[in-house]
Amino acid sequence: MSDFPTADTARFGLISPESVVKAYLACQKKGVALGAVQKGLRAYLHADAVDKALAQLIEHGEVSSEKTVTLLGGKSAASSILGRDAGADWDGIRKKRLPLIALGFNPDDGETRRRFSPPTSIKAAAIAVGFGLPREIANDLKAVRSEFIWRVLRAGLPDIVGKGPFPVIEKPGKVERALICGVLRVAAKTIVQATDALAARAVGLDKGNLDAVKERLVATAANRVAAAKESFATKVIQVASKLSTPPFEGRVAIAQVYDQYGELFPDAGSLASFKDRLIKSAINREIQLGRLDLPERMSDDLRLRSETTWNREEVHFVVTEWK
């Protein structure tokens, strides 16, 4: 399966959390409460990330937090992130401009704006970039879908399919739908549904419509930058502190931490590599790992997925209350 196209969110671009916050504030007609900023950006940044971005902007004198949160200088102060779309509202910025930046395209370039004007172009680009397909066809959904299908066929039947070049599949049918669904391991009744699933998988979602794909693109781009500013151990502790594994107190199953970490941060990797990093953090006394003394109180699946060998014994927990 190594030759089959696989999605990797590391292929997407980066957007700093501060830029996302500035873009949001620039599009507000007046100052807004901190809670409203957090709520308005919750699809892209967690409250902690919003707070940290605001703190940095306030420190640099770009934002005022007296009574309400206000971007000093208005839209002109956010020209670097708004560019040619300074006249757009927040909906236009978050649904078009920011996704293009997250995809690694320049939204101020005239040719780029022309190429990505069709409604389906962002979906096409998400698939192309996420699966490592040619960027020159990234705006054309038919071409991108065809390229994916041909790569699947070439991976499975190299001697029969050959190396190409391959024509665009103008009218994909049941066979093409089945190929996409087979690779993704999803069910879809139509080629449109299969293509939607392909776009969702490209950005790390199990399913989702175009708006969800756009949100995930921006969230991934911003959170990759936010995550890079924090250590792995710090992020693990943050995640674990908000979870629980009943009936156990003050400790959270490693598999639970891993699953939630993967929802929040793009550097989760495989469960095995995550456990290796946990062990290194424990060796450095950055986190504490704990044993499972009552195995009958934990489900078999959670116990097996959490089981980690460290210091000649098996541990299953990230400890959240230090003793």
Side-chain angles (χ1 to χ4, degrees), residues 132-202:
L133 307 181
R135 293 176 68 87
E136 56 265 25
I137 63 169
N139 61 304
D140 187 330
L141 187 58
K142 283 186 179 180
V144 167
R145 181 172 55 209
S146 297
E147 180 69 19
F148 180 88
I149 291 169
W150 283 117
R151 289 198 181 195
V152 171
L153 288 170
R154 187 174 62 189
L157 303 166
D159 295 335
I160 297 174
V161 175
K163 297 183 179 180
F166 304 108
V168 172
I169 303 171
E170 293 290 345
K171 296 182 178 181
K174 294 180 179 179
V175 173
E176 290 79 10
R177 171 171 56 85
L179 285 170
I180 294 173
C181 291
V183 172
L184 300 183
R185 299 184 183 277
V186 300
K189 295 181 179 180
T190 67
I191 191 65
V192 172
Q193 290 178 354
T195 306
D196 288 345
L198 192 58
R201 188 64 55 84

Side-chain angles (χ1 to χ4, degrees), residues 84-262:
R84 291 178 60 180
D85 296 302
D89 59 13
W90 174 238
D91 242 22
I93 297 298
R94 70 185 183 90
K95 289 185 177 181
K96 194 74 174 187
R97 183 176 182 84
L98 293 184
L100 277 176
I101 296 174
L103 287 163
F105 293 98
N106 178 7
D108 292 327
D109 176 71
E111 179 62 16
T112 297
R113 294 171 78 89
R114 184 195 66 77
R115 288 179 63 204
F116 291 95
S117 58
T120 59
S121 60
I122 297 295
K123 181 190 299 184
I127 297 170
V129 176
F131 282 96
L133 307 181
R135 293 176 68 87
E136 56 265 25
I137 63 169
N139 61 304
D140 187 330
L141 187 58
K142 283 186 179 180
V144 167
R145 181 172 55 209
S146 297
E147 180 69 19
F148 180 88
I149 291 169
W150 283 117
R151 289 198 181 195
V152 171
L153 288 170
R154 187 174 62 189
L157 303 166
D159 295 335
I160 297 174
V161 175
K163 297 183 179 180
F166 304 108
V168 172
I169 303 171
E170 293 290 345
K171 296 182 178 181
K174 294 180 179 179
V175 173
E176 290 79 10
R177 171 171 56 85
L179 285 170
I180 294 173
C181 291
V183 172
L184 300 183
R185 299 184 183 277
V186 300
K189 295 181 179 180
T190 67
I191 191 65
V192 172
Q193 290 178 354
T195 306
D196 288 345
L198 192 58
R201 188 64 55 84
V203 299
L205 296 172
D206 289 330
K207 59 182 180 179
N209 58 20
L210 182 55
D211 282 344
V213 168
K214 291 177 178 180
E215 287 181 354
R216 187 57 172 256
L217 280 170
V218 178
T220 297
N223 282 298
R224 283 178 63 198
V225 175
K229 298 178 180 180
E230 299 179 344
S231 71
F232 171 72
T234 298
K235 291 181 286 185
V236 166
I237 293 170
Q238 288 175 352
V239 171
S241 68
K242 298 177 182 178
L243 299 173
S244 63
T245 307
F248 306 97
E249 296 290 339
R251 52 195 62 211
V252 182
I254 287 172
Q256 273 185 273
V257 177
Y258 170 72
D259 291 341
Q260 184 63 20
Y261 188 103

Side-chain angles (χ1 to χ4, degrees), residues 6 19 40 50 58-59 73 129 152 158 180 204 215 217 222 225-227 242-243 266 286 289-290 301 323:
T6 56
S19 292
V50 172
I58 290 169
E59 182 181 347
V129 176
V152 171
I180 294 173
E215 287 181 354
L217 280 170
V225 175
K242 298 177 182 178
L243 299 173
E286 296 173 313
L289 303 178
D301 177 67
K323 302 298 184 183

Side-chain angles (χ1 to χ4, degrees), residues 244-249 251-257 290-308 314-318:
S244 63
T245 307
F248 306 97
E249 296 290 339
R251 52 195 62 211
V252 182
I254 287 172
Q256 273 185 273
V257 177
R291 296 188 309 172
L292 174 61
D293 296 324
L294 298 171
E296 70 276 7
R297 305 298 297 273
M298 183 180 286
S299 69
D300 290 344
D301 177 67
L302 187 59
R303 176 173 53 80
L304 291 172
R305 292 183 65 230
S306 297
E307 188 173 282
T308 303
E314 302 297 334
V315 294
H316 291 76
F317 296 107
V318 172

Side-chain angles (χ1 to χ4, degrees), residues 232 274-285 287 289 308-311 315:
F232 171 72
F274 185 82
K275 290 178 179 180
D276 287 341
R277 295 168 74 190
L278 283 180
I279 293 171
K280 290 178 181 178
S281 296
I283 291 172
N284 293 332
R285 294 181 173 272
I287 61 173
L289 303 178
T308 303
T309 302
W310 178 59
N311 202 21
V315 294

